[in-house]
Amino acid sequence: MASLPFSATSFHSTFTCFNYKARNPNLFFLKKGSSFTLSRRKFFIKSVASDQRQDLKEEGQITEEASLDTFVPDSASIASSIKYHSEFTPSFAPDHFELPKAFKATAESVRDSLIINWNATYAYYEKINVKQAYYLSMEYLQGRALLNAIGNLELTGAYAEALKKLGHNVEDVAREEPDAALGNGGLGRLASCFLDSLATLNYPAWGYGLRYKYGLFKQYITKDGQEEVAENWLEMGNPWEIVRNDVSYPVKFYGEVISGPEGIKEWVGGEDITAVAYDVPIPGYKTKTTINLRLWSTKIAPEKFDLSAFNAGDHAKAYSAMKNAEKICYILYPGDESLEGKTLRLKQQYTLCSASLQDIIARYERRSGEFLNWEIFPEKVAVQMNDTHPTLCIPELIRILIDVKGLSWEQAWNITQRTVAYTNHTVLPEALEKWSLELMEKLLPRHVEIIKMIDEELIQTIIDEYGTEDLDLLQEKLKQMRILDNIELPESVAEMIAKPEKSSVEAIESTEEDDVSDEETETTAEEDELEEEEIEEKNEVPPIIEPDPKLPKLVRMANLCVAGGYAVNGVAEIHSEIVKNEVFNDFYEMWPEKFQNKTNGVTPRRWIRFCNPDLSKIITKWTGSEDWVVNTEKLVTLRKFADNEDLQSEWREAKRRNKVKVASFLREKTSYIVNPDAMFDVQVKRIHEYKRQLLNIMGIVYRYKKMKEMSHEERKASFVPRVCIFGGKAFATYVQAKRIVKFITDVGATVNHDPEIGDLLKVVFVPDYNVSVAEMLIPGSELSQHISTAGMEASGTSNMKFAMNGCILIGTLDGANVEIRQEVGEDNFFLFGAEAHEIAGLRKERAEGKFVPDPRFEEVKAYVRSGVFGPYNYEELMGSLEGNEGYGRADYFLVGKDFPSYIECQDKVDEAYKDQKRWTKMSILNTAGSYKFSSDRTIHEYARDIWRIDPVVLP
């Protein structure tokens, strides 16, 4: 094993003294069982682990040379470790060992074990100088780490027993952990699943992100709808992170670029901050490999603090630089309605890119030693951009290579194009980032120079591909593909296009001189001039991309990603086809080899094994082993038992136990009491118009209205009891999404208190949806709604989690729904709605006034407007579903178009649920068919096709 900062074999036998001595270097190491006096208090430190290890040695079960590999901590040694941390890693008063203190001490104890594997992993990577992948993401939606960590270390039972001895239940202790507020939705959860799979599969990789102090926001649901307050996840500290004060990098904003001798550029002046590393160990499942998530926090160097201003009483001036630096990492996705908000977002993105690349390059140089060769940099480094947020790593890598390392433009551009890859997560135009050129020139002047050079390279490539004969075609290609939008062509390119080989005037004059006599060509000077003007007018080269002064000048980040990277991938089969055929069709025609599909996946450890232990035991029993936790192909075995009555009975019992837990959770969080024997119908995801929570709640309103029109007996005969559960956050400035949240909660308040309806229908909005809430809801869900407008959801990952847990999906042919339906079987997926290829035509039909709404949809809108759900004015929300044109109106997301199909499909859901044998079989087949959607499979494909890295198993 590679050398470690301390001996892994001696760690557990001396950890109590080692940790204490680390904080008190003047103390000597104590022998086992020694006592000492400090501050008039006598302590006795007894290492149970050492005693157990000695007993094993005496029995001949381990040798002197055996490492940690052969020693598994038992509950006694773990209890000793927890007690040590509760005493000597104090975050709480010493009086009582209550749950918050128990969690912190337990987490510190687990971290001790992680650090051993963590150090060993990177010592080995350094030693063999392995090629490494680096995953850059603005989000990591990690969730709670305790149960996941002890599960991956195979210490769940030992920790449960240890905590029981100390008076606590492991689940109660785990609930004390706040969710890390580092992400918002699927983008961030995917990144976290990827890290889990990378570690489990032993791939050398590292994640980079930002350490947000407050994250997105904590969501409260009040009578006014959604309210946002700052998230407090770091209030009691984060026991999983290790601050690396020795790992920091300078990051610059503003200033100017000056040219030095031999054309060398230097970026000087401006605002300087420091990015400091915080490391979070990410353990693999049943492997020593423990990789790293490095998060950056921002501050200023001490010399930047204006001490003279402070002493003069101008405290605001003294603090301004510090606050400007610190606020970069305050909030995930700060509102960008203002110039200040836009500036802050751009600062965040650049900080992530600059600090991460400086760190990556420093590691490359250290590993290379005296054999440093920049040409082989792409053979040792792969950088993956998770969506367009980290796009600035392209010009930043070029800047470092040219300005700092002294490479030429050609070398830097070539290296970058072989190092960086891009994952596209959206087809929504507003999500394909475009930044103001003016803002970027002010904030990052050197990077704009580099982006202009990349744009010029791209223009030349386009001209080489299409030539200058068909100027209309060329103009269209440049309009679609350029990185700089609404900006004149570079002068060199404009001249090349505008200058014909031989002008038409010259050609005609030459012919006339040869063929016509002087007498025949005598004309007045005035006639000559007129003739030449007419000829020039006929042969004039049309202007190419004339900027519109009324429109902003923009930098198109997605185009920069495609031009600057060597691979572009979509995240589901249908999405990747849309990327190739629509979003980036012009690029695909020019560089088809760049484009790939990598269907998303989720980790089966967190999303079945740990969050759904009841179902996991059943799967293990019927598949014959726990191999399915890593090799999800084993889930297919369940198909042959899908009709087995014993399996079905066990399956239903496990589902009901999970539903009872959900009912208890809902009562705690919302005060609503729901019946666990009703169908649990769930839609939990980010609130957005294209995800169509509005279609769901309109369907519920229709259901409620029909119930109200029936007698008690008719209602019971016609409808299956349902608990309709919503969850998700609307972005703070997204007014329409917040209206939808308000509407859902108003419908719930009316329906849930209607004595005529009773348990036949409940509508519950779960506040502050996050990973931990998902881990509670998903195992107890029976129907899950993935009903986005076709062609607008790139993939989705919650659909995969629900299917894995035996939940049946209702949805459109969108994102990963398409592949899930193929794998689970068409009969086990409730399909409705228009398909992706129809959407453009349907919108055109609407614009032409040809759409005729279904009477049932009109009925629902009128019912909402009648005020039955309270006094709130829903005219704006209902109005968005009307009209024939205008984004945000004219029902852009086709709620009205798909409504009839949706409610008819819901009738089929009711019929299927009445036959519990059929429903249970569908549930089993959904779990069996979800084998393909493990993030392990996705990571294998990234490693093979994009990063070209191999697994590295520690010796």
Side-chain angles (χ1 to χ4, degrees):
M1 182 181 287
S3 61
L4 302 177
F6 52 87
S7 169
T9 59
S10 66
F11 176 78
H12 273 271
S13 62
T14 59
F15 65 84
T16 51
C17 297
F18 177 86
N19 281 337
Y20 195 81
K21 186 175 187 298
R23 295 164 174 79
N24 301 270
N26 294 324
L27 290 176
F28 55 88
F29 259 58
L30 301 170
K31 292 182 180 178
K32 180 179 60 178
S34 297
S35 62
F36 62 92
T37 303
L38 180 66
S39 301
R40 302 191 181 188
R41 291 183 62 190
K42 188 172 183 180
F43 295 85
F44 186 80
I45 304 297
K46 177 175 171 57
S47 176
V48 180
S50 180
D51 287 345
Q52 184 191 40
R53 186 176 178 81
Q54 183 63 33
D55 292 341
L56 292 171
K57 283 177 63 179
E58 291 171 0
E59 294 169 9
Q61 294 182 37
I62 61 172
T63 65
E64 187 67 41
E65 292 76 22
S67 71
L68 181 65
D69 303 343
T70 58
F71 176 71
V72 179
D74 65 2
S75 61
S77 61
I78 287 171
S80 179
S81 173
I82 293 171
K83 285 191 287 187
Y84 166 79
H85 281 292
S86 71
E87 184 76 25
F88 296 111
T89 314
S91 298
F92 297 87
D95 315 50
H96 304 288
F97 188 68
E98 295 178 339
L99 281 173
K101 186 175 184 179
F103 161 68
K104 192 73 179 294
T106 302
E108 296 279 1
S109 166
V110 176
R111 196 183 74 175
D112 287 344
S113 294
L114 295 181
I115 286 175
I116 299 168
N117 290 343
W118 190 35
N119 285 338
T121 300
Y122 279 93
Y124 191 60
Y125 289 174
E126 291 281 315
K127 179 180 177 181
I128 65 174
N129 191 16
V130 64
K131 181 176 182 179
Q132 195 163 324
Y134 298 97
Y135 197 79
L136 272 64
S137 178
M138 288 291 284
E139 293 187 49
Y140 289 92
L141 200 58
Q142 292 177 283
R144 293 169 175 159
L146 179 57
L147 292 181
N148 191 71
I150 61 177
N152 279 1
L153 291 168
E154 299 181 88
L155 293 174
T156 303
Y159 267 91
E161 188 176 341
L163 285 166
K164 189 174 182 180
K165 291 176 181 177
L166 297 172
H168 291 298
N169 178 285
V170 67
E171 286 81 11
D172 292 337
V173 171
R175 277 193 286 271
E176 289 297 311
E177 180 177 3
D179 277 38
L182 300 171
N184 176 30
L187 181 84
R189 185 54 236 170
L190 178 76
S192 294
C193 282
F194 277 11
L195 293 184
D196 177 88
S197 287
L198 285 163
T200 297
L201 302 174
N202 301 300
Y203 281 113
W206 207 326
Y208 282 105
L210 296 181
R211 182 181 179 268
Y212 303 107
K213 184 174 182 179
Y214 300 115
L216 188 67
F217 56 80
K218 184 183 284 290
Q219 179 195 53
Y220 288 106
I221 300 298
T222 71
K223 62 180 178 61
D224 297 317
Q226 171 181 297
E227 292 188 7
E228 308 89 19
V229 298
E231 179 62 77
N232 62 349
W233 75 285
L234 285 174
E235 188 175 33
M236 302 306 294
N238 178 11
W240 305 107
E241 68 184 13
I242 298 96
V243 60
R244 300 298 197 193
N245 288 312
D246 60 328
V247 180
S248 63
Y249 297 97
V251 178
K252 182 184 289 296
F253 305 108
Y254 304 110
E256 61 179 340
V257 180
I258 59 174
S259 296
E262 300 180 2
I264 296 174
K265 297 293 183 79
E266 186 180 3
W267 185 12
V268 298
E271 177 185 314
D272 296 305
I273 66 164
T274 300
V276 180
Y278 284 73
D279 287 346
V280 180
I282 307 293
Y285 179 72
K286 292 188 177 183
T287 175
K288 288 190 297 183
T289 300
T290 300
I291 65 171
N292 193 40
L293 170 58
R294 177 158 284 178
L295 302 171
W296 300 108
S297 186
T298 46
K299 65 177 187 178
I300 59 167
E303 60 270 18
K304 298 293 182 180
F305 181 76
D306 194 340
L307 187 60
S308 60
F310 188 88
N311 288 331
D314 193 350
H315 300 158
K317 180 182 177 184
Y319 278 122
S320 62
M322 183 173 68
K323 292 301 181 185
N324 279 337
E326 290 177 350
K327 73 181 181 183
I328 291 171
C329 290
Y330 273 1
I331 301 293
L332 169 66
Y333 302 145
D336 60 356
E337 301 297 311
S338 65
L339 176 61
E340 291 78 8
K342 289 181 173 67
T343 302
L344 186 54
R345 275 211 199 186
L346 193 55
K347 280 186 171 183
Q348 287 183 334
Q349 294 186 3
Y350 179 62
T351 298
L352 169 64
C353 296
S354 180
S356 301
L357 279 167
Q358 289 181 72
D359 197 43
I360 291 166
I361 287 171
R363 188 171 302 107
Y364 174 73
E365 291 179 317
R366 184 174 65 249
R367 290 180 181 180
S368 299
E370 61 186 63
F371 303 104
L372 181 62
N373 179 359
W374 289 108
E375 288 302 317
I376 65 169
F377 183 78
E379 296 171 26
K380 293 294 182 181
V381 172
V383 175
Q384 188 72 37
M385 301 182 294
N386 192 28
D387 215 9
T388 53
H389 307 130
T391 305
L392 287 168
C393 73
I394 292 172
E396 175 67 0
L397 178 55
I398 293 173
R399 183 192 71 83
I400 294 172
L401 293 175
I402 294 176
D403 296 357
V404 182
K405 304 303 176 184
L407 274 64
S408 68
W409 161 259
E410 290 75 14
Q411 289 174 305
W413 177 231
N414 178 268
I415 290 168
T416 300
Q417 283 191 302
R418 293 187 292 128
T419 301
V420 180
Y422 162 52
T423 298
N424 173 273
H425 282 278
T426 185
V427 300
L428 295 176
E430 68 270 22
L432 292 172
E433 287 186 295
K434 298 177 182 179
W435 285 102
S436 159
L437 179 66
E438 181 182 2
L439 170 60
M440 194 174 282
E441 280 180 321
K442 185 178 179 183
L443 191 71
L444 302 169
R446 179 60 177 138
H447 295 77
V448 170
E449 289 185 351
I450 293 169
I451 290 169
K452 287 180 177 179
M453 294 170 74
I454 297 172
D455 187 56
E456 191 165 346
E457 288 276 353
L458 176 60
I459 291 169
Q460 188 57 59
T461 303
I462 295 168
I463 292 172
D464 291 344
E465 179 75 16
Y466 295 102
T468 58
E469 290 78 15
D470 187 341
L471 290 175
D472 289 336
L473 173 64
L474 180 60
Q475 176 153 328
E476 183 59 30
K477 293 296 179 183
L478 292 173
K479 182 179 179 182
Q480 295 298 324
M481 298 173 71
R482 283 191 66 189
I483 296 162
L484 300 177
D485 184 29
N486 197 39
I487 295 171
E488 62 278 354
L489 285 170
E491 193 172 315
S492 59
V493 176
E495 287 177 358
M496 180 181 68
I497 294 174
K499 185 179 180 182
E501 292 183 7
K502 191 174 184 182
S503 74
S504 301
V505 177
E506 290 173 343
I508 292 171
E509 285 180 346
S510 175
T511 304
E512 289 175 344
E513 286 174 3
D514 291 341
D515 299 338
V516 183
S517 65
D518 292 340
E519 293 83 10
E520 292 173 317
T521 58
E522 282 184 4
T523 58
T524 65
E526 188 177 341
E527 288 173 334
D528 285 341
E529 286 178 14
L530 288 171
E531 188 175 287
E532 285 183 10
E533 285 175 9
E534 288 175 4
I535 294 170
E536 285 177 359
E537 190 175 324
K538 287 179 183 177
N539 291 277
E540 185 179 332
V541 178
I544 302 290
I545 308 183
E546 191 72 30
D548 186 341
K550 297 177 183 177
L551 297 176
K553 297 182 177 182
L554 301 171
V555 181
R556 298 190 281 199
M557 306 304 271
N559 290 22
L560 178 54
C561 287
V562 179
Y566 66 91
V568 180
N569 71 277
V571 290
E573 286 180 0
I574 186 173
H575 171 240
S576 295
E577 290 305 306
I578 292 171
V579 164
K580 291 190 293 187
N581 298 328
E582 297 177 28
V583 182
F584 297 124
N585 180 249
D586 295 296
F587 287 104
Y588 175 67
E589 288 180 350
M590 193 163 71
W591 292 315
E593 70 283 356
K594 281 193 181 189
F595 289 80
Q596 303 183 24
N597 174 61
K598 295 288 172 279
T599 298
N600 283 344
V602 299
T603 167
R605 270 76 62 186
R606 183 179 288 270
W607 293 111
I608 310 183
R609 179 66 182 83
F610 302 145
C611 79
N612 198 344
D614 287 340
L615 186 63
S616 296
K617 290 173 186 174
I618 295 170
I619 295 171
T620 297
K621 173 183 173 181
W622 288 85
T623 60
S625 73
E626 277 203 341
D627 290 351
W628 62 269
V629 180
V630 175
N631 300 309
T632 51
E633 293 83 1
K634 302 287 185 181
L635 293 174
V636 176
T637 306
L638 293 171
R639 285 176 176 165
K640 63 183 180 183
F641 302 116
D643 288 308
N644 185 289
E645 291 186 4
D646 291 336
L647 172 58
Q648 288 202 0
S649 176
E650 293 173 22
W651 201 271
R652 281 193 293 270
E653 288 172 10
K655 180 65 74 173
R656 194 180 190 284
R657 284 194 293 272
N658 286 324
K659 290 173 68 178
V660 169
K661 292 177 185 176
V662 171
S664 176
F665 172 79
L666 294 178
R667 184 172 187 175
E668 176 190 346
K669 294 295 182 183
T670 69
S671 300
Y672 286 133
I673 298 171
V674 301
N675 179 11
D677 292 318
M679 181 203 298
F680 279 19
D681 171 354
V682 181
Q683 187 180 20
V684 283
K685 53 185 68 195
R686 182 166 51 93
I687 309 296
H688 196 291
E689 288 172 278
Y690 89 83
K691 293 178 184 287
R692 297 203 295 190
Q693 286 91 352
L694 186 54
L695 174 60
N696 185 352
I697 193 63
M698 295 284 277
I700 292 169
V701 170
Y702 179 77
R703 188 182 188 89
Y704 175 64
K705 184 174 186 295
K706 292 298 137 187
M707 284 181 175
K708 294 290 287 180
E709 293 168 355
M710 295 179 180
S711 68
H712 177 71
E713 292 73 20
E714 288 173 326
R715 279 195 291 270
K716 289 194 70 174
S718 301
F719 294 101
V720 167
R722 285 206 200 192
V723 177
C724 300
I725 302 169
F726 292 83
K729 295 178 180 179
F731 191 66
T733 58
Y734 190 174
V735 175
Q736 191 75 327
K738 294 178 78 170
R739 287 190 184 116
I740 293 170
V741 173
K742 169 67 173 165
F743 183 35
I744 294 167
T745 57
D746 280 354
V747 172
T750 299
V751 172
N752 299 344
H753 295 99
D754 190 329
E756 290 184 352
I757 302 304
D759 284 343
L760 266 182
L761 183 62
K762 297 291 184 186
V763 181
V764 184
F765 193 101
V766 181
D768 206 38
Y769 179 66
N770 56 23
V771 175
S772 297
V773 175
E775 289 172 322
M776 173 62 69
L777 293 180
I778 290 173
S781 301
E782 294 174 289
L783 180 73
S784 181
Q785 307 225 16
H786 303 275
I787 57 177
S788 52
T789 311
M792 302 199 76
E793 182 74 86
S795 169
T797 52
S798 65
N799 46 8
M800 301 170 183
K801 297 162 198 164
F802 281 101
M804 276 185 175
N805 284 271
C807 183
I808 299 156
L809 275 56
I810 180 172
T812 53
L813 283 178
D814 196 27
N817 283 1
V818 177
E819 292 159 82
I820 290 173
R821 182 168 176 264
Q822 290 169 355
E823 296 300 331
V824 305
E826 294 180 5
D827 294 337
N828 305 305
F829 184 106
F830 293 104
L831 177 67
F832 76 94
E835 296 185 28
H837 68 272
E838 301 175 290
I839 301 302
L842 290 169
R843 286 179 179 146
K844 183 173 183 290
E845 181 183 274
R846 182 77 184 233
E848 294 169 352
K850 297 177 182 177
F851 173 67
V852 179
D854 188 277
R856 292 166 292 185
F857 186 61
E858 296 301 287
E859 183 183 341
V860 169
K861 288 191 297 178
Y863 194 56
V864 173
R865 283 172 162 140
S866 72
V868 68
F869 301 114
Y872 186 84
N873 185 353
Y874 282 107
E875 188 56 41
E876 287 292 332
L877 191 59
M878 295 299 104
S880 71
L881 305 173
E882 298 171 338
N884 292 326
E885 57 186 29
Y887 186 84
R889 295 189 68 82
D891 196 11
Y892 184 80
F893 300 99
L894 305 183
V895 174
K897 172 64 182 177
D898 282 350
F899 184 79
S901 175
Y902 176 68
I903 60 174
E904 287 159 13
C905 191
Q906 289 284 14
D907 291 339
K908 295 176 184 176
V909 172
D910 277 4
E911 284 304 310
Y913 195 77
K914 289 174 183 176
D915 183 349
Q916 278 295 293
K917 181 175 175 61
R918 175 191 169 193
W919 188 272
T920 306
K921 179 180 179 180
M922 294 171 71
S923 176
I924 293 168
L925 291 173
N926 264 266
T927 297
S930 67
Y931 74 94
K932 180 181 176 181
F933 303 104
S934 165
S935 51
D936 296 352
R937 183 266 315 154
T938 313
I939 286 300
H940 275 311
E941 293 181 2
Y942 270 94
R944 181 193 66 213
D945 302 333
I946 297 180
W947 305 329
R948 299 182 181 90
I949 58 173
D950 297 313
V952 176
V953 180
L954 271 65

